Amino acid sequence: MAKKTIASVDVKGKTVLMRVDFNVPQDDSGNITDDRRIRMAMPTIQHVIKNGGKVVLMSHLGRPEGKDRAADAKYTIKPCADRLGKLLGKPVKFVGDCVGPEVQKAVASLQAGEVLLIENVRFYEAEQIKDKKAKDDPALAEKKKSFAKQLADLADVYVNDAFGTCHRDNASMLTVPQQMGGKPKVVGFLVKKELEYLGDSLNSPKRPFVAILGGKKVSDKIGVIEALLKKCDTILIGGAMQYTFMLAQGRKTGKSLVEADKVEEAKRLLQLGGSKLKLPVDVVCAAELKAGVATKVVEGDIPDDLSGFDIGPKTVAEYKKIIAGAKTIAWNGPMGVFETKPFDTGTYAIAHALVDATARGAVTVIGGGDSAAAIEQAGLTDKVSHVSTGGGASLEFMEGKAFKAVDVLDEA
Ligand code: AMP
């Protein structure tokens, strides 16, 4: 069922507490090296500003221990306030806590159209208490609830625009909306777009529907392969996980990365998938993983002294042909070790094939994580239908897992 969005709430004069995902990468000096997550939240923030609301933003950043503030100081979210201010072209206020009297004062003094970012919610252990643990421990449950209640009491409206965290039951994601009582709790425009692309367009796809799955481990993607086999017409496999499938077929994989304990699982998936599940016909191998190293394209068994680091040219050609005939394409996980040249070739060939498919009207959805990073590095983000901001979240969503943090929000 569709969720109510911020567009249907009258925010004039109201305090809008918005959970965003400002978990941005930073260098050693704390400089933000990629602000895409901040930029993606801007349409919702600007909507509230334009309509006379007061914006209170909250997010996690990194993994502070939640015990010692001084040790955790590098996880302050203040740099995100500065960057957002620059992007919005107006100052963004910041308060060095996320609950307590200082925060209440800062929120109370907000004027319509102003924006305040509160400190990293992970400075409090309560943020990450799992409901499963809290169920058997009343003290933990109370700790999480009272933390969430303090946040909920700051606002008239709750907005979830943090797709990357939607698969978690963190206090700011689930317990805060639970504590909002009858007040509106809705999705922002980013989460709406994510739900539409990862949900609607993949659940009722225009056919043929092709999924491309790569990355390191088959174990991470067993659930998603099973779920997609029920929905799509073809699954193209790449990345290191192909070698576990090769083992399952009784082929030799040389020194390639394999998950020996997942061979039986891979056999089962091969049987389940039949002709729907396509494996590479050739791989680019090398003796070691090093930029510019001598490579050899191998079909069939991989020699003992070589590892496969990318899909080969015949595979690229075959996969491109299948992609060219598809009307819906979902991609998650790189085809090879795209961080090291020349093993980026397969991944970028697939990225360009998706761009071409988008140009002729196909719906193209890229799951977060490394395939999103690859498409961004190639400057192609705007040339596909949707690049998800959620790595783990996009995989879990495609698997069909329920997201409590979304379910708890108001229905449209
Ligand atoms: P994942 O997080 O599962 O999407 O995996 C992404 C990682 O898989 C990237 O860092 C890639 O370098 C790595 N990867 C892809 N193909 C291979 C391969 N053939 N051998 C080793 N690592 C690979």
Side-chain angles (χ1 to χ4, degrees):
M1 188 120 40
K3 288 289 160 183
K4 198 168 174 176
T5 77
I6 186 65
S8 60
V9 181
D10 177 10
V11 294
K12 194 158 192 252
K14 306 253 173 69
T15 302
V16 179
L17 178 64
M18 200 183 295
R19 176 54 157 100
V20 287
D21 180 359
F22 284 177
N23 187 27
V24 291
Q26 290 171 286
D27 64 18
D28 292 343
S29 318
N31 301 305
I32 296 168
T33 53
D34 178 359
D35 62 9
R36 179 166 182 261
R37 285 185 164 159
I38 300 178
R39 286 185 280 113
M40 295 293 279
M42 284 176 60
T44 311
I45 298 168
Q46 281 165 323
H47 172 87
V48 178
I49 295 173
K50 202 178 87 197
N51 289 283
K54 308 169 188 180
V55 184
V56 179
L57 300 170
M58 63 176 165
S59 173
H60 72 287
L61 175 66
R63 296 173 188 275
E65 293 287 313
K67 289 181 187 119
D68 178 354
R69 256 320 155 84
D72 285 343
K74 66 175 178 191
Y75 295 110
T76 178
I77 205 158
K78 178 155 191 315
C80 294
D82 301 337
R83 179 63 62 93
L84 177 63
K86 279 201 188 109
L87 291 167
L88 288 173
K90 65 184 283 166
V92 169
K93 296 182 170 177
F94 175 74
V95 58
D97 210 336
C98 65
V99 288
E102 205 194 335
V103 178
Q104 287 159 2
K105 215 171 109 192
V107 172
S109 69
L110 268 186
Q111 302 295 312
E114 286 189 335
V115 183
L116 168 76
L117 176 64
I118 61 179
E119 186 55 287
N120 189 350
V121 285
R122 283 203 186 157
F123 279 162
Y124 285 82
E125 276 179 291
E127 168 66 4
Q128 292 192 86
I129 293 172
K130 293 201 172 15
D131 278 6
K132 219 158 92 190
K133 252 181 135 181
K135 213 173 95 212
D136 303 319
D137 187 335
L140 274 186
E142 184 49 39
K143 190 172 174 180
K144 188 174 185 184
K145 191 172 146 190
S146 83
F147 173 66
K149 179 93 171 69
Q150 289 183 72
L151 286 163
D153 284 349
L154 295 173
D156 307 305
V157 180
Y158 173 87
V159 183
N160 174 344
D161 216 16
F163 184 73
T165 328
C166 276
H167 57 319
R168 301 191 192 282
D169 66 359
N170 291 164
S172 63
M173 297 297 303
L174 178 60
T175 331
V176 174
Q178 283 170 341
Q179 293 300 314
M180 289 297 287
K183 294 184 274 187
K185 31 191 190 297
V186 299
V187 294
F189 299 127
L190 172 62
V191 169
K192 176 178 187 272
K193 189 173 179 227
E194 295 272 14
L195 296 178
E196 278 171 5
Y197 276 102
L198 293 168
D200 304 349
S201 58
L202 302 190
N203 287 332
S204 6
K206 288 193 260 170
R207 295 190 182 276
F209 173 18
V210 174
I212 310 158
L213 295 173
K216 212 167 214 162
K217 294 180 173 170
V218 69
S219 52
D220 290 344
K221 303 217 164 86
I222 291 168
V224 85
I225 292 174
E226 265 183 287
L228 286 172
L229 275 173
K230 291 190 193 122
K231 292 182 197 168
C232 66
D233 301 291
T234 309
I235 297 186
L236 308 176
I237 298 286
M241 74 167 156
Q242 67 180 288
Y243 306 112
T244 305
F245 282 110
M246 275 178 76
L247 278 185
Q249 290 175 323
R251 292 159 65 189
K252 290 195 173 140
T253 56
K255 293 190 299 174
S256 308
L257 199 65
V258 291
E259 287 176 278
D261 60 332
K262 290 292 174 289
V263 172
E264 288 310 311
E265 254 326 308
K267 276 187 193 163
R268 187 178 66 80
L269 290 173
L270 283 172
Q271 213 163 26
L272 200 66
S275 60
K276 265 192 188 183
L277 202 61
K278 301 240 181 287
L279 291 176
V281 290
D282 58 350
V283 288
V284 180
C285 296
E288 60 177 329
L289 183 61
K290 214 169 75 181
V293 72
T295 61
K296 187 172 174 197
V297 175
V298 174
E299 291 179 36
D301 286 345
I302 298 176
D304 289 347
D305 57 340
L306 296 181
S307 308
F309 292 126
D310 196 10
I311 56 173
K314 276 194 185 165
T315 306
V316 168
E318 190 181 304
Y319 283 10
K320 273 170 86 169
K321 218 156 100 191
I322 295 169
I323 292 167
K327 292 215 170 81
T328 304
I329 304 150
W331 178 27
N332 197 306
M335 295 291 97
V337 187
F338 75 105
E339 301 93 334
T340 309
K341 279 183 185 203
F343 307 111
D344 56 345
T345 310
T347 298
Y348 287 122
I350 295 300
H352 281 282
L354 260 69
V355 168
D356 294 345
T358 318
R360 57 162 181 78
V363 175
T364 49
V365 181
I366 288 135
D370 279 316
S371 25
I375 209 134
E376 256 162 64
Q377 271 168 34
L380 301 173
T381 304
D382 298 334
K383 297 196 165 104
V384 293
S385 311
H386 182 64
V387 180
S388 177
T389 50
S394 72
L395 263 183
E396 287 197 18
F397 200 78
M398 285 202 260
E399 257 181 85
K401 285 193 181 160
F403 282 4
K404 283 188 189 158
V406 174
D407 291 345
V408 71
L409 304 173
D410 298 338
E411 301 290 346

